[in-house]
Amino acid sequence: MAGVSERKWGGGSKQPVRSSKVRPSFVEGSIVRIYMENFLTYDVCEVRPGPNLNMIIGANGTGKSSIVCAICLGLAGKPSFIGRADKVGLFVKQGCLKGVVEVELYKMPDNIIITREIQAVNNTSTWFIDKKSATLKAVEEQIAALNIQVDNLCQFLPQDKVGEFARLSKIELLEATEKSIGPPEMYQFHCELKNFREKERELENLCRDKTQSLEKMIQRTERYKQDIEKFHEHKRHLDLIEMLERKRPWVEYESVRQQHEEVKKSRDQAKEELKNLKEMQTPVTKKIQETEEYFKSLNMKIRHKADEIKDISQKCKQKQDALEMKDKQIEEINQALRMKKDEEMDRQRKIHNTHKMIKDWKKELNAMAVCENLQPQTDAINDELKKLQDKRANIHSGISDLTAGKMNEEREKKRITDRLEQLNNIMNMKEENLKARFGDTHSALMWLRKNKDKFKKEVCEPIMLEMRDHQKLRVNAVCTPAESCAKSLPSRPIEELHQYGFFSYLRELFDAPHLVMSYLCSQYHVHDVPVGTEKTRNMIERVIQETKLKQMYTAEEKYVIKVSAYTNLTLSINTSLREAQFLTSSVDIDERRRLENQQQDINNKLKSLDMHLSTLSERQKHLEHRDNELRQQKKELLERGNRRTQLQSKIDMKYDSLRQLEQDAIDLEKESQQADAKIREINTQKAKLVTELTHLIKNCISVNILKVDLVLQSATEAAEKNRLESDYKEASIQLRAAEEKFNELDDRKQVLAEKCKELLKKARHVCKMSLDQQLPMEFQTAFQSLPSTLEEIDAFLYEEKTRASCFTGLNVSVEEYNKQTQEIQQLKEYLEEKKNELNDYKQKISQVKERWLNPLKKLIGQINVKFSNFFSSMQCVGEVDLHVENEEEYDKYGIRIRVKFHSGTELHELNPYHQSGGEKSVSTMLYLMALQELNRCPFRVVDEINQGMDPVNERRVFEMVVKTVSKESTSQYFFITPKLLQNLTYSDKMTVLFVYNGPFMLESNKWDLKSFCRRRRRLGRMDEQ
């Protein structure tokens, strides 16, 4: 709870007023009363300032600046003017839905009461003027009519804006000063000058551009005069070219027509010659046909003789083939006889070989002993083979079991490897995020992983607090407490906090290595910070009062609770939680270590299985080798038992074969006699065939002689036929040449006829004539003076075109020339109008400048005198002057403040960088004091400007403020400070407002200063007695 007490130096009533007759010392627009309800630190409070200097004093945090905020927001100011918050709803007291600020301003005949109701939920305001609903615009109009400017730092300087005054540019300081102490029309004149100058600059640029354009247009028009003359001459040449181009088709038509008549005459002559050649060629054709028929009959006879010779030759060939066939039969008989002899010799050789083989096998059979008993040896080998098979089956089963186990282990290994890769990918993402945001920390992390063997104890990742090595990296690292705090118990069980919506402590919501958790518990007490839900946020006031927690979290906010050093009251600070940045993806370290251990165990099992498999494979190979040896021994025993039986069987088979060979004997003498008989019969047949062949050859010779005679006759006829054809061919060549000449002339005649039609059509088209129209007389007359041949016309046409081409580049016409002349006249008139307008603006600038600059220089001179006097009284130097870079640039005018606080230095311009904080505060305060007596604003507010001053300057400035503000001509002044020096000089016209804050404060409506004084005097008398 906060309250304000008031002490009036020199007495005076402090009752509410509604009429200027009660408080005649107030300046119109001064603040008579300030009322706050649920505003910042105040529940309900009413402040009644005095008409002159009002000292608002109170400890930090009691609510002094809250009064300044109430003045600003109550007079239509924006939260940004104060610099504390950006939303008006934040000025409503925490836990309340609505706040009220009411400011009563002095005005004749009745005061104005402006009320602003602020809604905390939607940051809206409702305005009232004299308890009647009004709009923000109506309130702003009332405020502006009283010349109240809460956005002007020369009038309203809140605590958070003190530093901004020194950062004001010279231009901004001039505008703020004009608004604050200048007559109303001064700032208006300044704005008009800037607008006039901007318009003047635009008109100057426009006139300059238009003048240049006008000069170019005039120059271009002068050139057009010469071009017009050239244009007419050019047109004469073009007319002559047009007439030549019209006559040329007619001359060309006449030339082609004459060619057509000549070609027609030549074609008729060629037609007559062609007719004579055709008549001369008819007898030759008839004689050639007769010779051709006789030649064909001879050829027919020759073909008949050739066919007859062919038949005889074919019969001779048949007889020759029959003779050759008889020779082949004799050869086949001899060959068959030789084969019989070879077959008999081969039979004798086989009989001999068979006798030998039987003799050898009988010898081997007699030499072979009686067959021994091999069954016991065979049974022993079979038993051993059965045992080997059992062993091999057992080993195969063991290998299958080991292989299945190995496959299971490899599948498990793959699953673990995939899971580790997933975890490593998460770690890589986190490392990349760390590298992007904190490069040095990432480099230190890489160094740590390579050099972990250099540390005596475990170091957790990532590193925090400053650690330096040869890489010169600056990173954060911390040491964990000597005694582990990871298992520290909270101050109370979480079950006791369930009623407030808490469900867990912060430590239980995340996982970390033991050392990291120990550090977090030791440093940040995460084991004792509860986390709540929306229910906690809705009942936060009750939670703070009943649980006495120092820190807590909800779903969206963090709350820190502290106790005020002044009043022992509980203060809470809540901040919104930011979105997670580095812990959005997490890795289960225990799972990762467990998986790595499982992976190592599986690798060991796989190695053991591989060794067992290798051993069993070696045993299996050994058993297979032994099995092969036993089977070979068994095979040899079986072969030994079957050999005698095989030999006896082979001997019997050879005896059968020998008997068959003896039965197949051949009688060679008989076979030889049969062959000789066959050969004699064939020779008789050959003699008959030779006689027939001789007769055929004689007939063939006689037929050939007849054929030769016919061939000779045919050759004679062929020569005669060739001679006749040669003569006919020569005549045909002449005839064909005559035909080609005729066709060529006929084609040329048709082409010329078509060309004549086209040229006549073209000539009529060029002269724009119809198809049946005769050449007009005007063209006939014009054509008589022109050349009459194509060569002369082309030469004359080329000459005229050459002359016309000399006039290229003429892009002007008479219409364009007239248009340019008209545009020049219009541009001259427009330019004259703009020059007159420019002169008017220059006159306006001259008039307004005189009405603005002279009062401004006088005003700045007055400010400089007072500012200099104030600095002189402090044994310092200060000046205020009008800074001008260019007299014509009115938007660059500004006020320059130059100060010197030490005798050995020069005057320096006041800026945010050169002077100290106290020097800037003194300069700001004295400049505002220099404006005080000249000020036309109803009040001025300065909040804690003396904080950076040393005691000497603070005392001097305070005395100046009291002396200046206590004068009759000055307006109301609010000076807010948390402290004052002792033994200061006070004035009777000062009003001191003490701001208290505490749990035992009286409500403002119960505050009675007179009753307090009476009680104090009564207690004093009791003490004396």
Side-chain angles (χ1 to χ4, degrees), residues 17-23 26-32 104-114 129-130 138 141-148 938:
V17 295
R18 287 291 295 165
S19 174
S20 58
K21 297 179 181 179
V22 181
R23 301 292 296 273
F26 278 98
V27 177
E28 188 171 275
S30 298
I31 298 174
V32 176
E104 182 177 351
L105 302 175
Y106 180 80
K107 186 180 180 182
M108 292 288 288
D110 295 321
N111 292 346
I112 298 175
I113 299 176
I114 297 175
I129 298 178
D130 294 333
E141 290 175 354
Q142 288 281 2
I143 299 300
L146 297 173
N147 197 31
I148 297 174

Side-chain angles (χ1 to χ4, degrees), residues 152-155 165 173 176-177 180-181 859 863 866-867 870 895 924-937 940 964 971:
N152 190 341
L153 296 182
C154 291
Q155 178 177 347
F165 186 87
L173 184 60
T177 304
S180 180
I181 64 172
L859 182 64
I863 296 173
K866 295 183 179 298
F867 189 74
F870 288 146
I895 290 180
T924 302
M925 192 66 185
L926 294 184
Y927 183 79
L928 295 178
M929 294 306 302
L931 303 182
Q932 180 65 19
E933 294 184 7
L934 303 173
N935 195 6
R936 63 184 184 86
C937 62
R940 177 173 285 108
T964 304
S971 58

Side-chain angles (χ1 to χ4, degrees), residues 836-853:
N836 294 335
E837 187 177 351
L838 177 61
N839 293 331
D840 292 342
Y841 272 106
K842 288 183 177 180
Q843 291 179 3
K844 290 179 181 179
I845 289 173
S846 177
Q847 295 172 1
V848 176
K849 180 179 180 181
E850 183 178 356
R851 296 171 65 185
W852 171 72
L853 188 57

Side-chain angles (χ1 to χ4, degrees), residues 691-705:
T691 303
E692 293 175 355
L693 178 61
T694 303
H695 178 70
L696 289 173
I697 291 172
K698 289 179 180 179
N699 290 336
C700 184
I701 291 171
S702 61
V703 173
N704 275 318
I705 291 171

Side-chain angles (χ1 to χ4, degrees), residues 552-566:
M552 68 186 77
Y553 284 86
T554 62
E556 297 179 352
E557 293 179 328
K558 169 187 175 183
Y559 291 87
V560 178
I561 298 90
K562 297 181 179 179
V563 179
S564 173
Y566 292 101

Side-chain angles (χ1 to χ4, degrees), residues 29-55:
S30 298
I31 298 174
V32 176
R33 179 176 59 87
I34 306 168
Y35 174 78
M36 296 165 285
E37 180 180 342
N38 296 331
F39 186 80
L40 291 177
T41 60
Y42 294 103
D43 292 332
V44 176
C45 182
E46 187 177 85
V47 180
R48 294 182 178 276
N52 299 108
L53 176 61
N54 291 275
M55 299 292 295

